[in-house]
Amino acid sequence: MKRFIHALADGSVIARRNVIKIGRVPEVLVFVLISPIMFVLLFAYVFGGSIDIPGGSYREFLIGGIFAQTVVFGATFTGAGIADDIHKGIINRFRSLPMSQSAVLVGRTASDVIYNVLSLLIMALSGFVVGWRFHEGLLNAALGFGLLLLFAYAFSWIMGYIGLLVPSVEVINNAAFMVIFPLTFIANTFVPAENLPTVLRVFAEWNPVSAVTQAARDLFGNLPAGIPEPTVWPLRNAVLYTLIWVVLIIAVFAPLAVRRYQTAAKRG
Amino acid sequence: MANAIEAYGLVKKYGKVTALAGLDLAAAEGTVLGVLGPNGAGKTTAVSILTTLIEPDAGEATIAGIDLRKDPHGVRSRIGLSGQAVAVDEQLTGFENLDMIGRLYRLGRTRSRERATELLERFDLTEAAGRTIKTYSGGMRRRLDLAGALIAEPPVLFLDEPTAGLDPRSRNDLWTVIRELVGRGTTLLLTTQYLEEADQLANDIVVIDHGREIAHGTSRQLKRMIGGERIEVAVISHEDTPKVQRILAAHASGEIQHDPATNTLVAPIAGGAEILTQVLRALDAEGVMVEDIGLRRPTLDDVFLAITGRHAEEAPVATGEAVAAGGTA
């Protein structure tokens, strides 16, 4: 219990430091805010007009997928932040202090939630501009956003772990994209999973990114009537399945990352 | 007196390269241990092990009486580290950096702020306290980094090449601060590439090379081993050389060396500036024209030459590897 309280206290010191830095390096923030706008507009106009979805608007269907993809991509910031701390050598300072061994990761994953809140907010606004609406009430919409954030938070731990593994900040994007691209594309993010060839379809149906997308669409009321109800368990119980993954990811990657952190040091 | 730092048989290998090959270190409470060695000798590796950053492959150590392997957290709460690579956050201000470190030592909000303000004052950084580190000069960064190590007033301090890359004034300032700290009972392990620095600050000096001790003693003992200061005279005319040789011989404490290429004579002496003055007078009386004359203090290179018979940086093939692996380790 004492360890847990220390982790939170020290984590909040680190998170506060990261938040101060967000304001000091506005370039990062600009990128965080512009790329979601770009995603929404690109997908809404490039694909939105050329794909038909029976009984609904493809554009509305698409937005949930873009939300999910963007917050998953946003987790890369966690990896980049951790890799940067190692590269800049401040990790040596942290590691020589009598602070909680998980604080750097706890603080980083927590402060990165801000990025995702901002990018979701921006995406929702740009979504509104291009005609996206939610139809199930404010509470459900809020739950949808909450679930997306929770999933993104869990994903941050994966990227934080990767950030501790890579030799330099530059490598983190490539390393992250190797994980993120297949996960966000072999999913129901842009096309209904039913339309994929068998192998990809099975992957897509059990892919947690599909589940969080499905759950968000459901909570936003963005599932077109013409698309058949999913038959597989993960997509029928998308909220529960997403939550299971959230717990699973944190349970696996938090200890892995903390253990890795304990041997991370800038050399040279 | 009890030893605040004690290490036996520290070994660390990176692949095939041995960074530390069984190093023993000991520093009595309230003293300064200087670890002297060229790049890649294993200095930083030793500091990294003793500050819990890396685990040794073999060996034991206790810091302030606490076993490094059994209780690394306990060790961390009793040490301060200021490394070779300055470990402060570029985008935070001086105050924010120190306040953050204080909080992470769990000093609490009020005490952290107090200590941050005190240390900024003491290190002459009050004016820069509200500026981000990006705007700091190299010397200011070093001072802030050292201040970070002192926030919690730890009894044992590790400074890894604290003055590397600093101009002479900043270096002297830092020496003054270090002397003050030690005067108040802090135990210090200091690594350096400069014999002069070890001479100025350390009670006890361990010279290391290739991850092991090659000499150990007080500054005086080491100097006796390698001789003290030398007078170096660059003579303009070769005709004058025998005269100079004769004058130097009257004051030298050992063999005089002559480098014909530059027509420079080097004579070890037992005294200091007063001998230089005497030599100058004698040269003047004989009407000898010199291009350059001066006292030369023994350097790390002289120590190496005396102990190993080779220069510190001119290394056999195997050292190349050790340098690469240990980094400025």
Side-chain angles (χ1 to χ4, degrees):
Chain A
M1 192 61 199
K2 204 173 141 199
R3 259 176 70 181
F4 182 68
I5 290 168
H6 279 162
L8 287 186
D10 295 347
S12 76
V13 174
I14 299 291
R16 206 168 61 107
R17 159 221 180 213
N18 297 341
V19 172
I20 294 174
K21 285 168 63 125
I22 292 176
R24 302 257 162 91
V25 200
E27 298 90 336
V28 178
L29 200 59
V30 169
F31 179 73
V32 170
L33 301 187
I34 287 181
S35 66
I37 299 178
M38 200 182 70
F39 274 129
V40 169
L41 295 183
L42 272 182
F43 281 100
Y45 289 105
V46 175
F47 297 116
S50 58
I51 297 176
D52 278 327
I53 287 235
S57 144
Y58 178 62
R59 204 174 275 175
E60 274 209 342
F61 173 83
L62 195 61
I63 292 287
I66 295 172
F67 282 3
Q69 190 196 36
T70 308
V71 295
V72 169
F73 267 97
T76 312
F77 281 109
T78 306
I82 296 280
D84 190 53
D85 281 348
I86 296 177
H87 176 70
K88 297 269 168 65
I90 198 159
I91 205 100
N92 287 3
R93 165 76 69 197
F94 289 147
R95 289 212 34 237
S96 71
L97 295 178
M99 61 192 271
S100 160
Q101 296 293 295
S102 57
V104 169
L105 288 151
V106 167
R108 173 66 64 181
T109 51
S111 61
D112 285 349
V113 172
I114 293 174
Y115 282 131
N116 278 323
V117 168
L118 287 174
S119 79
L120 277 175
L121 191 72
I122 293 285
M123 283 192 293
L125 289 175
S126 2
F128 264 111
V129 173
V130 301
W132 168 74
R133 299 287 182 271
F134 49 84
H135 308 283
E136 300 289 327
L138 207 57
L139 181 69
N140 278 327
L143 285 176
F145 284 119
L147 198 67
L148 283 163
L149 281 175
L150 206 58
F151 187 71
Y153 177 75
F155 222 81
S156 267
W157 279 96
I158 301 182
M159 286 301 151
Y161 178 58
I162 294 178
L164 288 164
L165 295 180
V166 296
S168 75
V169 186
E170 289 74 27
V171 181
I172 187 77
N173 281 330
N174 294 325
F177 285 8
M178 272 167 36
V179 179
I180 290 176
F181 261 112
L183 267 181
T184 57
F185 276 91
I186 310 173
N188 61 359
T189 37
F190 304 112
V191 292
E194 291 78 9
N195 300 356
L196 296 169
T198 316
V199 178
L200 295 185
R201 196 194 72 225
V202 172
F203 183 88
E205 283 169 347
W206 290 84
N207 183 347
V209 177
S210 295
V212 71
T213 307
Q214 177 80 13
R217 279 180 186 141
D218 200 13
L219 290 162
F220 295 145
N222 290 155
L223 285 171
I227 293 186
E229 280 278 310
T231 50
V232 286
W233 189 85
L235 295 180
R236 292 182 70 87
N237 304 277
V239 174
L240 179 62
Y241 188 66
T242 304
L243 290 175
I244 290 173
W245 269 97
V246 167
V247 171
L248 205 66
I249 289 173
I250 296 178
V252 170
F253 283 90
L256 270 180
V258 171
R259 213 170 65 194
R260 181 76 196 178
Y261 167 83
Q262 289 171 321
T263 60
K266 181 183 168 63
R267 289 228 265 124
Chain B
M1 209 187 305
N3 281 337
I5 301 172
E6 237 176 52
Y8 297 106
L10 296 182
V11 173
K12 183 72 191 175
K13 290 187 177 135
Y14 294 110
K16 280 185 186 164
V17 179
T18 305
L20 288 182
L23 184 67
D24 301 342
L25 294 170
E29 242 170 64
T31 66
V32 181
L33 173 66
V35 178
L36 184 66
N39 272 335
K43 301 190 295 293
T44 297
T45 306
V47 169
S48 299
I49 287 173
L50 296 177
T51 54
T52 78
L53 295 185
I54 56 178
E55 268 186 56
D57 298 331
E60 302 287 326
T62 55
I63 310 292
I66 295 169
D67 191 306
L68 189 73
R69 277 183 199 274
K70 286 190 193 126
D71 186 9
H73 188 84
V75 169
R76 285 181 208 119
S77 62
R78 286 163 181 84
I79 61 169
L81 165 66
S82 180
Q84 205 181 126
V86 171
V88 290
D89 198 308
E90 290 271 307
Q91 275 127 18
L92 296 189
T93 66
F95 181 84
E96 285 165 349
N97 263 297
L98 295 187
D99 181 40
M100 172 180 76
I101 297 168
R103 296 287 197 88
L104 293 172
Y105 268 111
R106 306 222 173 87
L107 297 184
R109 173 192 291 248
T110 321
R111 185 78 188 123
S112 291
R113 289 186 176 173
E114 260 172 35
R115 282 295 288 159
T117 312
E118 267 170 44
L119 286 165
L120 286 164
E121 173 84 43
R122 172 139 156 250
F123 284 85
D124 205 15
L125 291 167
T126 304
E127 261 177 63
R131 295 205 327 247
T132 55
I133 306 307
K134 272 188 296 192
T135 67
Y136 281 31
S137 69
M140 290 163 80
R141 281 166 202 239
R142 275 297 160 86
R143 297 208 301 272
L144 189 78
D145 196 67
L146 181 57
L150 302 179
I151 280 272
E153 304 176 85
V156 182
L157 200 58
F158 293 87
L159 302 182
D160 191 13
E161 301 200 19
T163 63
L166 288 191
D167 59 75
R169 214 199 116 216
S170 312
R171 198 184 54 188
N172 279 323
D173 289 351
L174 214 58
W175 284 358
T176 310
V177 173
I178 291 170
R179 283 199 197 96
E180 233 178 84
L181 282 171
V182 176
R184 281 195 261 153
T186 305
T187 308
L188 170 63
L189 186 149
L190 168 96
T191 76
T192 180
Q193 292 192 45
Y194 309 116
L195 182 61
E196 193 195 354
E197 185 157 281
D199 185 19
Q200 286 281 334
L201 300 171
N203 305 87
D204 205 15
I205 300 172
V206 173
V207 185
I208 66 171
D209 186 32
H210 296 163
R212 55 166 63 89
E213 177 187 309
I214 57 171
H216 181 194
T218 61
S219 163
R220 186 178 297 177
Q221 288 166 337
L222 286 178
K223 277 190 179 163
R224 197 173 301 142
M225 220 154 103
I226 58 170
E229 292 176 309
R230 293 120 213 261
I231 288 182
E232 218 176 76
V233 190
V235 189
I236 292 176
S237 161
H238 278 274
E239 286 170 27
D240 287 336
T241 311
K243 274 192 222 164
V244 178
Q245 190 115 32
R246 204 181 60 237
I247 294 166
L248 285 176
H251 298 92
S253 62
E255 196 186 334
I256 298 168
Q257 284 173 338
H258 180 223
D259 177 3
T262 56
N263 202 22
T264 302
L265 292 114
V266 180
I269 55 167
E274 72 284 357
I275 293 188
L276 179 64
T277 317
Q278 287 165 23
V279 169
L280 274 171
R281 284 207 193 100
L283 289 170
D284 191 42
E286 302 246 356
V288 176
M289 302 282 284
V290 299
E291 193 183 334
D292 192 19
I293 181 164
L295 273 183
R296 201 162 70 79
R297 301 215 159 89
T299 62
L300 172 63
D301 201 49
D302 296 320
V303 178
F304 260 73
L305 209 53
I307 299 169
T308 66
R310 62 178 176 80
H311 291 283
E313 302 296 345
E314 152 219 302
V317 189
T319 328
E321 273 183 304
V323 172
T328 318

